Amino acid sequence: MDLPTLWFLLIALLWTGYLILEGFDFGVGMLLFALGRRPEERDALVRTFGPVWDGNEVWLLVAGGAMFAAFPNWYASMFSAEYLPLLILLVALIVRVLAIEYRRKHDGPNWTTRWDRVLFVASVTAPLMAAVGLANVVHGIPMDAKHDFTGNLLDLLNPYSLLGGVAVLSLFVLHGATFLGLRTEGTLRVRARSLAIRVWPVATALVAAFGIWTLLGASSVARGISVVGTIAVVLAVVGLVATGLALRADREPIAFAGTALTIAAAVVLLFAQLWPNVMPSTDDPAGTLSIAETASHHYTLKVMTWVAILVTPVVLVYQAWSYWVFRHRISAEGFPEGGAGAALQSLTHRPAGDA
């Protein structure tokens, strides 16, 4: 395997990690008011991902950095063409951080409720813009032979990309609900499971429609149905079926694993249909960017590969350890008795003014 292809696959892996890990964060944010009927319950929901959300976002930073270093022309063309959706994504991520950090900086239900609303809006906006952006990359973007964007905002809001955005939102809601089934107890746990059961048919229908459309030819470059793409669709279906069955059998780990598998399969499908290009052109075929012509110099990719080999295991071990430390269930009544994890949670999320 040549280095450009290797880094194309690694970028797909980074996007998979980001969407799985940050996906349940976004899902919980979208469920704040659906499941948290009191401020104490919303506090508990935020605490489920409070210690790990910033580590999850690192995957997005690394994915963007890898695209910039490994495929600079791809990075430049994509950010130029999708400037507005990606700008909205960036603003939503920044505002989301403010909501998480500032919601408990002042005592009073009105202050917390306002920031919770901001968190909800940002949790909807960010994944929606990310999904629309990725869907447009697969579908194709109007570009001329010089790889300059020749379209407008309406070209980016095409039916395929909008379906992708709605499908991702529904899948993340389901993913967040299954995550809450693992991380909460009592009433919140019951509500999360009940909501997940109700959301499952809608998410399944939307994801299936988006997956079939992608497999049958969402891209402007005709290549036919790929074997890898077909396998990815099958795995997505397996994941959704497993989630539905596990929810009804009250098998929360399997339900969460099923939604995670579906997200991973969806990313594989998108990148499989994109290969060997990185950005098809819907305007001029000469404007289509391929992996080979957008890749950095061989030496650059070689250095990046060695850095990834040395650093990635350390990052994965640290992130796995953080999840293990904060593995205990959370309730709206207070912090659980669970040793070091509970103690660290109580220190990490101490309200302002108690220090």
Side-chain angles (χ1 to χ4, degrees), residues 8 74 137-138 223 270-280:
F8 179 79
W74 180 16
V137 170
V138 176
R223 289 187 303 273
L270 292 175
F271 276 80
Q273 294 302 104
L274 187 60
W275 188 87
N277 299 312
V278 291
M279 184 174 289

Side-chain angles (χ1 to χ4, degrees), residues 59-208:
W59 288 78
L60 176 63
L61 299 177
V62 177
M67 290 178 64
F68 173 76
F71 302 99
N73 292 334
W74 180 16
Y75 182 92
S77 296
M78 185 182 74
F79 274 75
S80 296
E82 301 194 71
Y83 181 82
L84 184 57
L86 294 177
L87 176 63
I88 296 174
L89 167 62
L90 178 61
V91 172
L93 291 175
I94 294 173
V95 171
R96 179 171 169 266
V97 173
L98 294 175
I100 294 172
E101 295 294 336
Y102 277 84
R103 61 184 302 277
R104 300 304 295 170
K105 294 296 184 182
H106 179 71
D107 292 331
N110 292 333
W111 172 274
T112 304
T113 300
R114 292 191 190 102
W115 280 113
D116 285 344
R117 290 170 181 163
V118 172
L119 178 57
F120 167 79
V121 173
S123 297
V124 173
T125 305
L128 178 62
M129 292 297 102
V132 168
L134 287 175
N136 272 302
V137 170
V138 176
H139 174 266
I141 294 175
M143 294 187 296
D144 58 22
K146 296 181 180 179
H147 310 302
D148 292 329
F149 182 56
T150 59
N152 52 50
L153 179 60
L154 294 179
D155 293 317
L156 301 178
L157 300 178
N158 54 77
Y160 174 74
S161 66
L162 292 178
L163 175 60
V166 175
V168 166
L169 289 181
S170 66
L171 181 56
F172 280 5
V173 168
L174 180 61
H175 193 45
T178 58
F179 171 75
L180 290 174
L182 288 173
R183 295 286 285 116
T184 59
E185 61 183 9
T187 303
L188 289 177
R189 182 181 179 186
V190 174
R191 289 179 192 165
R193 177 177 176 272
S194 176
L195 186 140
I197 292 175
R198 296 197 304 270
V199 169
W200 178 81
V202 178
T204 300
L206 290 172
V207 172

Side-chain angles (χ1 to χ4, degrees), residues 18-33:
Y18 172 69
L19 294 175
I20 290 176
L21 296 177
E22 195 80 320
F24 63 72
D25 292 0
F26 289 137
V28 174
M30 286 186 272
L31 293 173
L32 266 186
F33 291 94

Side-chain angles (χ1 to χ4, degrees), residues 295-315:
S296 293
H297 190 272
H298 178 80
Y299 182 76
T300 301
L301 296 177
K302 185 176 180 180
V303 172
M304 290 175 60
T305 303
W306 278 110
V307 171
I309 292 174
L310 296 174
V311 175
T312 302
V314 178
V315 175

